[in-house]
mmCIF file of all heavy atoms in Angstrom:
data_model
loop_
_atom_site.group_PDB
_atom_site.id
_atom_site.type_symbol
_atom_site.label_atom_id
_atom_site.label_comp_id
_atom_site.label_asym_id
_atom_site.label_seq_id
_atom_site.Cartn_x
_atom_site.Cartn_y
_atom_site.Cartn_z
ATOM 1 N N ASN A 1 116.767 87.865 148.650
ATOM 2 C CA ASN A 1 115.460 87.780 149.345
ATOM 3 C C ASN A 1 115.410 88.593 150.662
ATOM 4 O O ASN A 1 114.585 88.362 151.425
ATOM 5 C CB ASN A 1 115.133 86.366 149.634
ATOM 6 C CG ASN A 1 116.109 85.662 150.527
ATOM 7 O OD1 ASN A 1 117.091 86.250 150.997
ATOM 8 N ND2 ASN A 1 115.924 84.379 150.700
ATOM 9 N N ASP A 2 116.346 89.559 150.846
ATOM 10 C CA ASP A 2 116.378 90.375 152.024
ATOM 11 C C ASP A 2 116.465 89.603 153.323
ATOM 12 O O ASP A 2 116.013 90.043 154.356
ATOM 13 C CB ASP A 2 115.178 91.305 152.090
ATOM 14 C CG ASP A 2 115.198 92.333 150.989
ATOM 15 O OD1 ASP A 2 116.344 92.793 150.620
ATOM 16 O OD2 ASP A 2 114.160 92.715 150.449
ATOM 17 N N SER A 3 117.046 88.368 153.330
ATOM 18 C CA SER A 3 117.157 87.592 154.511
ATOM 19 C C SER A 3 118.291 88.104 155.428
ATOM 20 O O SER A 3 118.375 87.706 156.560
ATOM 21 C CB SER A 3 117.505 86.154 154.166
ATOM 22 O OG SER A 3 118.722 86.071 153.443
ATOM 23 N N GLY A 4 119.156 88.901 154.926
ATOM 24 C CA GLY A 4 120.303 89.384 155.723
ATOM 25 C C GLY A 4 121.495 88.435 155.530
ATOM 26 O O GLY A 4 122.588 88.738 156.031
ATOM 27 N N PHE A 5 121.314 87.320 154.895
ATOM 28 C CA PHE A 5 122.420 86.388 154.638
ATOM 29 C C PHE A 5 123.220 86.836 153.511
ATOM 30 O O PHE A 5 122.796 87.548 152.580
ATOM 31 C CB PHE A 5 121.848 84.953 154.340
ATOM 32 C CG PHE A 5 121.243 84.250 155.466
ATOM 33 C CD1 PHE A 5 120.984 84.876 156.740
ATOM 34 C CD2 PHE A 5 120.888 82.916 155.361
ATOM 35 C CE1 PHE A 5 120.474 84.153 157.780
ATOM 36 C CE2 PHE A 5 120.382 82.256 156.445
ATOM 37 C CZ PHE A 5 120.093 82.826 157.603
ATOM 38 N N ILE A 6 124.519 86.418 153.479
ATOM 39 C CA ILE A 6 125.398 86.714 152.326
ATOM 40 C C ILE A 6 126.057 85.421 151.855
ATOM 41 O O ILE A 6 126.167 84.451 152.617
ATOM 42 C CB ILE A 6 126.455 87.741 152.655
ATOM 43 C CG1 ILE A 6 127.340 87.354 153.801
ATOM 44 C CG2 ILE A 6 125.812 89.069 153.014
ATOM 45 C CD1 ILE A 6 128.532 88.244 154.016
ATOM 46 N N ASN A 7 126.506 85.429 150.663
ATOM 47 C CA ASN A 7 127.370 84.335 150.115
ATOM 48 C C ASN A 7 128.694 84.946 149.780
ATOM 49 O O ASN A 7 128.829 86.150 149.519
ATOM 50 C CB ASN A 7 126.766 83.717 148.818
ATOM 51 C CG ASN A 7 125.481 82.998 149.090
ATOM 52 O OD1 ASN A 7 125.313 82.369 150.127
ATOM 53 N ND2 ASN A 7 124.588 82.932 148.107
ATOM 54 N N VAL A 8 129.712 84.147 149.687
ATOM 55 C CA VAL A 8 131.040 84.535 149.287
ATOM 56 C C VAL A 8 131.271 83.805 148.001
ATOM 57 O O VAL A 8 131.270 82.575 148.002
ATOM 58 C CB VAL A 8 132.148 84.310 150.304
ATOM 59 C CG1 VAL A 8 133.457 84.721 149.782
ATOM 60 C CG2 VAL A 8 131.822 85.047 151.566
ATOM 61 N N ARG A 9 131.491 84.576 146.912
ATOM 62 C CA ARG A 9 131.635 84.044 145.585
ATOM 63 C C ARG A 9 133.078 84.117 145.067
ATOM 64 O O ARG A 9 133.741 85.118 145.288
ATOM 65 C CB ARG A 9 130.734 84.846 144.620
ATOM 66 C CG ARG A 9 130.754 84.429 143.220
ATOM 67 C CD ARG A 9 129.701 85.218 142.429
ATOM 68 N NE ARG A 9 128.365 84.868 142.915
ATOM 69 C CZ ARG A 9 127.272 85.443 142.549
ATOM 70 N NH1 ARG A 9 127.353 86.517 141.805
ATOM 71 N NH2 ARG A 9 126.147 85.069 143.040
ATOM 72 N N CYS A 10 133.513 83.000 144.427
ATOM 73 C CA CYS A 10 134.805 82.968 143.761
ATOM 74 C C CYS A 10 134.620 83.441 142.366
ATOM 75 O O CYS A 10 133.959 82.841 141.514
ATOM 76 C CB CYS A 10 135.327 81.520 143.765
ATOM 77 S SG CYS A 10 136.954 81.399 142.889
ATOM 78 N N THR A 11 135.186 84.618 142.063
ATOM 79 C CA THR A 11 134.985 85.223 140.741
ATOM 80 C C THR A 11 135.767 84.515 139.610
ATOM 81 O O THR A 11 135.483 84.816 138.410
ATOM 82 C CB THR A 11 135.363 86.739 140.807
ATOM 83 O OG1 THR A 11 136.738 86.857 141.176
ATOM 84 C CG2 THR A 11 134.440 87.505 141.783
ATOM 85 N N THR A 12 136.648 83.648 139.959
ATOM 86 C CA THR A 12 137.490 83.012 138.908
ATOM 87 C C THR A 12 137.133 81.496 138.800
ATOM 88 O O THR A 12 137.907 80.738 138.216
ATOM 89 C CB THR A 12 139.006 83.194 139.253
ATOM 90 O OG1 THR A 12 139.250 82.634 140.610
ATOM 91 C CG2 THR A 12 139.434 84.638 139.198
ATOM 92 N N SER A 13 136.009 81.143 139.338
ATOM 93 C CA SER A 13 135.617 79.712 139.332
ATOM 94 C C SER A 13 135.485 79.198 137.879
ATOM 95 O O SER A 13 134.863 79.854 137.019
ATOM 96 C CB SER A 13 134.189 79.582 139.968
ATOM 97 O OG SER A 13 133.789 78.214 139.842
ATOM 98 N N MET A 14 136.021 77.982 137.662
ATOM 99 C CA MET A 14 135.892 77.390 136.361
ATOM 100 C C MET A 14 134.887 76.253 136.450
ATOM 101 O O MET A 14 134.639 75.539 135.376
ATOM 102 C CB MET A 14 137.296 76.830 135.942
ATOM 103 C CG MET A 14 138.419 77.777 135.905
ATOM 104 S SD MET A 14 138.113 79.093 134.697
ATOM 105 C CE MET A 14 138.549 78.230 133.196
ATOM 106 N N HIS A 15 134.305 76.080 137.557
ATOM 107 C CA HIS A 15 133.235 75.061 137.702
ATOM 108 C C HIS A 15 131.993 75.428 136.940
ATOM 109 O O HIS A 15 131.607 76.573 137.013
ATOM 110 C CB HIS A 15 132.903 74.891 139.154
ATOM 111 C CG HIS A 15 132.130 73.614 139.537
ATOM 112 N ND1 HIS A 15 130.797 73.606 139.389
ATOM 113 C CD2 HIS A 15 132.594 72.430 139.948
ATOM 114 C CE1 HIS A 15 130.385 72.356 139.737
ATOM 115 N NE2 HIS A 15 131.443 71.621 140.104
ATOM 116 N N PRO A 16 131.355 74.449 136.248
ATOM 117 C CA PRO A 16 130.190 74.854 135.423
ATOM 118 C C PRO A 16 128.952 75.297 136.215
ATOM 119 O O PRO A 16 128.122 76.034 135.679
ATOM 120 C CB PRO A 16 129.886 73.565 134.650
ATOM 121 C CG PRO A 16 130.514 72.465 135.410
ATOM 122 C CD PRO A 16 131.738 73.085 136.130
ATOM 123 N N ARG A 17 128.878 74.877 137.496
ATOM 124 C CA ARG A 17 127.630 75.153 138.267
ATOM 125 C C ARG A 17 127.826 75.741 139.635
ATOM 126 O O ARG A 17 126.864 76.151 140.286
ATOM 127 C CB ARG A 17 126.698 73.926 138.346
ATOM 128 C CG ARG A 17 126.254 73.387 137.081
ATOM 129 C CD ARG A 17 125.307 72.216 137.219
ATOM 130 N NE ARG A 17 125.465 71.499 138.412
ATOM 131 C CZ ARG A 17 124.733 70.485 138.727
ATOM 132 N NH1 ARG A 17 123.751 70.076 137.942
ATOM 133 N NH2 ARG A 17 124.936 69.836 139.927
ATOM 134 N N ARG A 18 129.072 75.808 140.030
ATOM 135 C CA ARG A 18 129.306 76.274 141.491
ATOM 136 C C ARG A 18 130.324 77.342 141.491
ATOM 137 O O ARG A 18 131.389 77.203 140.891
ATOM 138 C CB ARG A 18 129.738 75.104 142.351
ATOM 139 C CG ARG A 18 129.776 75.523 143.832
ATOM 140 C CD ARG A 18 129.893 74.371 144.783
ATOM 141 N NE ARG A 18 131.233 73.781 144.772
ATOM 142 C CZ ARG A 18 132.237 74.312 145.524
ATOM 143 N NH1 ARG A 18 132.063 75.326 146.299
ATOM 144 N NH2 ARG A 18 133.471 73.724 145.486
ATOM 145 N N PHE A 19 130.078 78.449 142.171
ATOM 146 C CA PHE A 19 131.031 79.530 142.313
ATOM 147 C C PHE A 19 131.081 80.067 143.755
ATOM 148 O O PHE A 19 131.983 80.750 144.096
ATOM 149 C CB PHE A 19 130.697 80.691 141.339
ATOM 150 C CG PHE A 19 129.208 80.987 141.283
ATOM 151 C CD1 PHE A 19 128.632 81.814 142.231
ATOM 152 C CD2 PHE A 19 128.445 80.446 140.303
ATOM 153 C CE1 PHE A 19 127.264 82.143 142.126
ATOM 154 C CE2 PHE A 19 127.114 80.727 140.230
ATOM 155 C CZ PHE A 19 126.501 81.609 141.168
ATOM 156 N N ASN A 20 130.126 79.664 144.660
ATOM 157 C CA ASN A 20 130.210 80.211 146.011
ATOM 158 C C ASN A 20 131.153 79.231 146.825
ATOM 159 O O ASN A 20 131.231 78.073 146.638
ATOM 160 C CB ASN A 20 128.828 80.099 146.685
ATOM 161 C CG ASN A 20 127.917 81.191 146.198
ATOM 162 O OD1 ASN A 20 128.371 82.216 145.689
ATOM 163 N ND2 ASN A 20 126.635 81.012 146.345
ATOM 164 N N VAL A 21 131.929 79.911 147.683
ATOM 165 C CA VAL A 21 132.797 79.135 148.640
ATOM 166 C C VAL A 21 132.256 79.198 150.030
ATOM 167 O O VAL A 21 132.609 78.423 150.868
ATOM 168 C CB VAL A 21 134.261 79.647 148.563
ATOM 169 C CG1 VAL A 21 134.907 79.300 147.141
ATOM 170 C CG2 VAL A 21 134.376 81.138 148.886
ATOM 171 N N ILE A 22 131.436 80.182 150.372
ATOM 172 C CA ILE A 22 130.702 80.276 151.568
ATOM 173 C C ILE A 22 129.284 80.559 151.238
ATOM 174 O O ILE A 22 128.979 81.458 150.473
ATOM 175 C CB ILE A 22 131.216 81.329 152.566
ATOM 176 C CG1 ILE A 22 132.645 81.087 153.021
ATOM 177 C CG2 ILE A 22 130.340 81.505 153.800
ATOM 178 C CD1 ILE A 22 133.252 82.103 153.929
ATOM 179 N N GLY A 23 128.383 79.716 151.806
ATOM 180 C CA GLY A 23 126.927 79.995 151.632
ATOM 181 C C GLY A 23 126.178 80.353 152.864
ATOM 182 O O GLY A 23 126.534 79.854 153.992
ATOM 183 N N ASP A 24 125.168 81.115 152.709
ATOM 184 C CA ASP A 24 124.251 81.475 153.768
ATOM 185 C C ASP A 24 124.898 81.961 155.002
ATOM 186 O O ASP A 24 124.587 81.509 156.167
ATOM 187 C CB ASP A 24 123.352 80.263 154.131
ATOM 188 C CG ASP A 24 122.566 79.798 152.933
ATOM 189 O OD1 ASP A 24 122.357 80.550 151.971
ATOM 190 O OD2 ASP A 24 122.117 78.622 152.973
ATOM 191 N N LEU A 25 125.888 82.874 154.908
ATOM 192 C CA LEU A 25 126.476 83.408 156.135
ATOM 193 C C LEU A 25 125.560 84.317 156.812
ATOM 194 O O LEU A 25 125.078 85.347 156.252
ATOM 195 C CB LEU A 25 127.734 84.193 155.739
ATOM 196 C CG LEU A 25 128.420 85.010 156.878
ATOM 197 C CD1 LEU A 25 128.893 84.118 157.986
ATOM 198 C CD2 LEU A 25 129.651 85.846 156.327
ATOM 199 N N ASN A 26 125.122 84.016 158.010
ATOM 200 C CA ASN A 26 124.295 84.824 158.821
ATOM 201 C C ASN A 26 125.176 85.799 159.614
ATOM 202 O O ASN A 26 125.922 85.446 160.463
ATOM 203 C CB ASN A 26 123.542 83.983 159.761
ATOM 204 C CG ASN A 26 122.456 84.733 160.672
ATOM 205 O OD1 ASN A 26 122.692 85.934 160.931
ATOM 206 N ND2 ASN A 26 121.427 84.087 161.100
ATOM 207 N N THR A 27 125.101 87.053 159.246
ATOM 208 C CA THR A 27 126.062 88.058 159.829
ATOM 209 C C THR A 27 125.715 88.427 161.262
ATOM 210 O O THR A 27 126.473 89.021 161.885
ATOM 211 C CB THR A 27 126.063 89.318 158.978
ATOM 212 O OG1 THR A 27 124.701 89.835 158.833
ATOM 213 C CG2 THR A 27 126.619 89.108 157.589
ATOM 214 N N ASN A 28 124.527 87.999 161.721
ATOM 215 C CA ASN A 28 124.162 88.193 163.134
ATOM 216 C C ASN A 28 124.778 87.148 164.071
ATOM 217 O O ASN A 28 125.109 87.401 165.205
ATOM 218 C CB ASN A 28 122.661 88.306 163.301
ATOM 219 C CG ASN A 28 122.096 89.507 162.674
ATOM 220 O OD1 ASN A 28 122.685 90.547 162.688
ATOM 221 N ND2 ASN A 28 120.922 89.286 162.069
ATOM 222 N N THR A 29 124.852 85.869 163.571
ATOM 223 C CA THR A 29 125.391 84.773 164.368
ATOM 224 C C THR A 29 126.704 84.245 163.982
ATOM 225 O O THR A 29 127.349 83.556 164.707
ATOM 226 C CB THR A 29 124.297 83.615 164.317
ATOM 227 O OG1 THR A 29 124.260 83.133 162.986
ATOM 228 C CG2 THR A 29 122.940 84.075 164.816
ATOM 229 N N GLY A 30 127.135 84.461 162.731
ATOM 230 C CA GLY A 30 128.352 83.916 162.235
ATOM 231 C C GLY A 30 128.183 82.531 161.666
ATOM 232 O O GLY A 30 129.150 81.926 161.237
ATOM 233 N N ASN A 31 126.994 81.948 161.674
ATOM 234 C CA ASN A 31 126.749 80.630 161.181
ATOM 235 C C ASN A 31 126.841 80.675 159.630
ATOM 236 O O ASN A 31 126.375 81.660 159.029
ATOM 237 C CB ASN A 31 125.405 80.073 161.572
ATOM 238 C CG ASN A 31 125.352 79.779 163.067
ATOM 239 O OD1 ASN A 31 126.394 79.536 163.654
ATOM 240 N ND2 ASN A 31 124.160 79.813 163.644
ATOM 241 N N MET A 32 127.353 79.609 158.989
ATOM 242 C CA MET A 32 127.482 79.557 157.555
ATOM 243 C C MET A 32 127.534 78.128 157.106
ATOM 244 O O MET A 32 127.722 77.194 157.885
ATOM 245 C CB MET A 32 128.792 80.266 157.171
ATOM 246 C CG MET A 32 130.049 79.538 157.553
ATOM 247 S SD MET A 32 131.502 80.557 157.507
ATOM 248 C CE MET A 32 131.374 81.462 158.990
ATOM 249 N N ARG A 33 127.511 77.979 155.813
ATOM 250 C CA ARG A 33 127.681 76.689 155.157
ATOM 251 C C ARG A 33 128.946 76.670 154.299
ATOM 252 O O ARG A 33 129.186 77.667 153.616
ATOM 253 C CB ARG A 33 126.433 76.324 154.329
ATOM 254 C CG ARG A 33 125.155 76.238 155.159
ATOM 255 C CD ARG A 33 124.016 75.752 154.249
ATOM 256 N NE ARG A 33 122.810 75.770 154.965
ATOM 257 C CZ ARG A 33 122.400 74.765 155.760
ATOM 258 N NH1 ARG A 33 123.172 73.717 155.980
ATOM 259 N NH2 ARG A 33 121.253 74.893 156.430
ATOM 260 N N LEU A 34 129.612 75.491 154.320
ATOM 261 C CA LEU A 34 130.799 75.339 153.455
ATOM 262 C C LEU A 34 130.593 74.123 152.650
ATOM 263 O O LEU A 34 129.815 73.246 152.981
ATOM 264 C CB LEU A 34 132.077 75.170 154.362
ATOM 265 C CG LEU A 34 132.413 76.333 155.302
ATOM 266 C CD1 LEU A 34 133.472 75.934 156.246
ATOM 267 C CD2 LEU A 34 132.773 77.554 154.457
ATOM 268 N N TYR A 35 131.188 74.054 151.439
ATOM 269 C CA TYR A 35 131.000 72.982 150.557
ATOM 270 C C TYR A 35 131.946 71.834 150.905
ATOM 271 O O TYR A 35 133.102 72.011 151.059
ATOM 272 C CB TYR A 35 131.237 73.409 149.084
ATOM 273 C CG TYR A 35 130.585 72.569 148.075
ATOM 274 C CD1 TYR A 35 129.213 72.694 147.829
ATOM 275 C CD2 TYR A 35 131.320 71.696 147.279
ATOM 276 C CE1 TYR A 35 128.582 71.923 146.858
ATOM 277 C CE2 TYR A 35 130.711 70.913 146.298
ATOM 278 C CZ TYR A 35 129.314 71.035 146.134
ATOM 279 O OH TYR A 35 128.695 70.288 145.194
ATOM 280 N N SER A 36 131.287 70.593 151.117
ATOM 281 C CA SER A 36 132.087 69.465 151.481
ATOM 282 C C SER A 36 131.517 68.195 150.863
ATOM 283 O O SER A 36 130.322 67.951 151.001
ATOM 284 C CB SER A 36 132.090 69.340 152.993
ATOM 285 O OG SER A 36 132.812 68.140 153.410
ATOM 286 N N ASP A 37 132.302 67.465 150.214
ATOM 287 C CA ASP A 37 131.908 66.195 149.593
ATOM 288 C C ASP A 37 130.646 66.267 148.748
ATOM 289 O O ASP A 37 129.693 65.488 148.932
ATOM 290 C CB ASP A 37 131.813 65.104 150.716
ATOM 291 C CG ASP A 37 133.091 64.780 151.299
ATOM 292 O OD1 ASP A 37 134.108 64.802 150.653
ATOM 293 O OD2 ASP A 37 133.130 64.487 152.565
ATOM 294 N N GLY A 38 130.520 67.332 147.931
ATOM 295 C CA GLY A 38 129.408 67.417 147.062
ATOM 296 C C GLY A 38 128.151 68.028 147.638
ATOM 297 O O GLY A 38 127.137 68.037 146.933
ATOM 298 N N LYS A 39 128.161 68.639 148.798
ATOM 299 C CA LYS A 39 126.983 69.193 149.364
ATOM 300 C C LYS A 39 127.383 70.355 150.289
ATOM 301 O O LYS A 39 128.527 70.435 150.775
ATOM 302 C CB LYS A 39 126.144 68.229 150.086
ATOM 303 C CG LYS A 39 126.834 67.507 151.217
ATOM 304 C CD LYS A 39 125.987 66.349 151.788
ATOM 305 C CE LYS A 39 126.778 65.703 152.881
ATOM 306 N NZ LYS A 39 126.528 64.354 153.029
ATOM 307 N N TRP A 40 126.403 71.200 150.653
ATOM 308 C CA TRP A 40 126.620 72.305 151.562
ATOM 309 C C TRP A 40 126.377 71.775 152.992
ATOM 310 O O TRP A 40 125.316 71.160 153.230
ATOM 311 C CB TRP A 40 125.690 73.519 151.231
ATOM 312 C CG TRP A 40 126.098 74.161 149.951
ATOM 313 C CD1 TRP A 40 125.531 73.955 148.749
ATOM 314 C CD2 TRP A 40 127.170 75.187 149.841
ATOM 315 N NE1 TRP A 40 126.231 74.822 147.794
ATOM 316 C CE2 TRP A 40 127.205 75.486 148.469
ATOM 317 C CE3 TRP A 40 128.075 75.698 150.721
ATOM 318 C CZ2 TRP A 40 128.076 76.417 148.027
ATOM 319 C CZ3 TRP A 40 128.951 76.615 150.290
ATOM 320 C CH2 TRP A 40 128.977 76.971 148.899
ATOM 321 N N VAL A 41 127.290 72.097 153.845
ATOM 322 C CA VAL A 41 127.305 71.572 155.273
ATOM 323 C C VAL A 41 127.593 72.738 156.188
ATOM 324 O O VAL A 41 128.471 73.575 155.881
ATOM 325 C CB VAL A 41 128.290 70.447 155.446
ATOM 326 C CG1 VAL A 41 128.285 69.889 156.875
ATOM 327 C CG2 VAL A 41 128.182 69.350 154.452
ATOM 328 N N SER A 42 126.946 72.718 157.339
ATOM 329 C CA SER A 42 127.202 73.755 158.377
ATOM 330 C C SER A 42 128.692 73.702 158.790
ATOM 331 O O SER A 42 129.239 72.556 158.967
ATOM 332 C CB SER A 42 126.310 73.487 159.562
ATOM 333 O OG SER A 42 126.766 74.143 160.655
ATOM 334 N N ALA A 43 129.299 74.817 158.912
ATOM 335 C CA ALA A 43 130.661 74.867 159.299
ATOM 336 C C ALA A 43 130.828 74.280 160.706
ATOM 337 O O ALA A 43 131.825 73.607 161.034
ATOM 338 C CB ALA A 43 131.157 76.319 159.339
ATOM 339 N N ASN A 44 129.858 74.502 161.615
ATOM 340 C CA ASN A 44 129.830 73.820 162.905
ATOM 341 C C ASN A 44 129.871 72.333 162.838
ATOM 342 O O ASN A 44 130.581 71.659 163.610
ATOM 343 C CB ASN A 44 128.609 74.293 163.777
ATOM 344 C CG ASN A 44 128.727 75.773 164.070
ATOM 345 O OD1 ASN A 44 129.811 76.309 164.149
ATOM 346 N ND2 ASN A 44 127.584 76.376 164.337
ATOM 347 N N LYS A 45 129.084 71.715 161.900
ATOM 348 C CA LYS A 45 129.038 70.246 161.777
ATOM 349 C C LYS A 45 130.422 69.779 161.277
ATOM 350 O O LYS A 45 130.837 68.659 161.644
ATOM 351 C CB LYS A 45 127.980 69.787 160.832
ATOM 352 C CG LYS A 45 126.593 69.798 161.445
ATOM 353 C CD LYS A 45 125.645 69.151 160.460
ATOM 354 C CE LYS A 45 124.268 69.140 161.140
ATOM 355 N NZ LYS A 45 123.267 68.475 160.288
ATOM 356 N N LEU A 46 131.100 70.575 160.509
ATOM 357 C CA LEU A 46 132.467 70.225 160.038
ATOM 358 C C LEU A 46 133.532 70.474 161.114
ATOM 359 O O LEU A 46 134.626 70.083 160.940
ATOM 360 C CB LEU A 46 132.794 71.035 158.857
ATOM 361 C CG LEU A 46 131.991 70.713 157.531
ATOM 362 C CD1 LEU A 46 132.244 71.755 156.468
ATOM 363 C CD2 LEU A 46 132.246 69.301 157.062
ATOM 364 N N GLY A 47 133.137 71.111 162.281
ATOM 365 C CA GLY A 47 134.067 71.400 163.292
ATOM 366 C C GLY A 47 134.933 72.632 163.005
ATOM 367 O O GLY A 47 135.993 72.780 163.618
ATOM 368 N N ILE A 48 134.508 73.433 162.066
ATOM 369 C CA ILE A 48 135.326 74.595 161.646
ATOM 370 C C ILE A 48 134.704 75.832 162.341
ATOM 371 O O ILE A 48 133.567 76.232 161.967
ATOM 372 C CB ILE A 48 135.307 74.702 160.159
ATOM 373 C CG1 ILE A 48 135.992 73.485 159.579
ATOM 374 C CG2 ILE A 48 136.076 76.003 159.734
ATOM 375 C CD1 ILE A 48 135.891 73.353 158.054
#
């Protein structure tokens, strides 16, 4: 969608519905989402 965001995809994922390991990386700010306990969570909220 030309948002400027990127995802990081695991090309060897065996999961039936999930292959991203980093979601919505904003390259201007460095903010991103990581997968934790079944949902996408801000890396900042995780303290990472």
